């Protein structure tokens, strides 16, 4: 899928967004950048792998992002700040297309997924305290429904869908996989 085709499909199926950090007061506020980048005429999704020494979510695949700080003007501001801190992606090199509805996690976070297109190649510098690796997955791979697995799991007597996306040596699951699935369902039609 080309960048122009992605933008067309994204615009056709725009989802409603939340307006700001005050929406989910009982959950800790966070935002992630869902960064797409064109490479050789095809879009790829950039993802990070968290270091294994971290106490929270060690070794997991994630988007650049983190907790909202009081100095952040918006969820997009949080996502862009965190992407710069984690992988040195300059905020002026990202075209923000929009925000998906909040994604609430079992761990007590309300996460705002910010969809953005990386305009030009950049030299990543990984923060070793937050990121072990930066890699990309072709959007065409993610758009194939057979590559996105959904299973039902129970927690405290309630059944929840959990998403999994195996890709080569990587195993994407949980909130990151669910956000990818939501994006693919939106633009895959």
């Amino acid at each position: 899928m080309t960048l122009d085709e992605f933008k067309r499909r994204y615009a056709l199926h725009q989802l409603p967004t939340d307006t700001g950090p005050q929406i989910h007061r009982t959950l800790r506020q966070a935002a992630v950048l869902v960064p797409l980048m064109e490479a050789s005429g095809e879009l790829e999704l950039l993802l990070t792998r968290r270091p294994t020494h971290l106490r929270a979510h060690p070794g997991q695949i994630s988007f650049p992002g983190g907790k909202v700080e009081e100095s952040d003007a918006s969820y997009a501001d949080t996502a862009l700040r965190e992407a710069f801190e984690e992988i040195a992606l300059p905020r002026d090199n990202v075209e923000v297309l929009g925000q998906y509805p909040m994604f609430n996690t079992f761990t007590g976070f309300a996460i705002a997924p910010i969809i953005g297109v990386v305009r030009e190649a950049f030299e990543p510098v990984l923060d070793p305290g937050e990121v072990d690796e930066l890699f990309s997955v072709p959007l065409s791979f993610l758009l194939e429904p057979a590559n996105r697995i959904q299973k039902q799991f129970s927690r405290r007597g309630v059944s929840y869908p959990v998403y999994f996306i195996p890709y080569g040596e990587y195993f994407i699951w949980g909130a990151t996989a669910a956000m990818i699935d939501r994006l693919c369902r939106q633009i895959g039609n």
Side-chain angles (χ1 to χ4, degrees):
M1 176 179 296
T2 66
L3 177 57
D4 288 340
E5 176 67 8
F6 176 85
K7 286 182 177 181
R8 186 183 70 73
R9 288 185 185 192
Y10 181 83
L12 282 175
H13 304 284
Q14 187 70 34
L15 296 176
T17 63
D18 288 329
T19 57
Q22 73 281 358
I23 299 297
H24 301 277
R25 296 175 198 271
T26 59
L27 299 175
R28 293 173 285 177
Q29 304 296 294
V32 296
L33 181 64
V34 180
L36 294 150
M37 187 168 173
E38 199 165 23
S40 302
E42 182 177 6
L43 281 180
E44 297 186 350
L45 188 63
L46 299 178
L47 293 162
T48 63
R49 184 185 343 221
R50 295 172 54 82
T52 56
H53 71 269
L54 295 177
R55 287 182 53 200
H57 311 291
Q60 287 187 356
I61 306 301
S62 63
F63 294 114
K67 295 178 190 173
V68 172
E69 294 182 1
E70 285 192 32
S71 59
D72 294 334
S74 65
Y75 288 127
D77 195 43
T78 300
L80 294 171
R81 175 184 51 75
E82 288 282 343
F84 181 73
E85 291 174 4
E86 292 180 11
I87 61 173
L89 174 58
R91 67 176 47 235
D92 62 355
N93 192 19
V94 178
E95 176 187 357
V96 173
L97 299 181
Q99 175 191 322
Y100 268 35
M102 298 299 285
F103 187 89
N104 299 334
T105 69
F106 294 123
T107 56
F109 282 94
I111 302 172
I114 305 299
I115 310 301
V117 175
V118 179
R119 292 182 175 117
E120 298 176 7
F122 70 102
E123 187 65 38
V125 177
L126 308 182
D127 175 350
E130 304 221 26
V131 177
D132 195 38
E133 182 181 359
L134 176 68
F135 66 98
S136 64
V137 178
L139 187 58
S140 59
F141 175 85
L142 297 168
L143 284 169
E144 282 295 323
N147 295 331
R148 302 185 321 267
I149 302 162
Q150 177 187 343
K151 301 278 185 183
Q152 291 296 121
F153 286 87
S154 291
R155 182 177 175 136
R156 296 182 183 132
V158 179
S159 183
Y160 296 96
V162 178
Y163 297 86
F164 304 91
I165 304 170
Y167 177 71
E169 68 182 81
Y170 304 103
F171 189 71
I172 307 161
W173 69 283
T176 302
M179 286 182 245
I180 291 170
D181 183 71
R182 182 187 285 171
L183 175 67
C184 290
R185 287 176 188 273
Q186 177 192 353
I187 64 168
N189 299 330

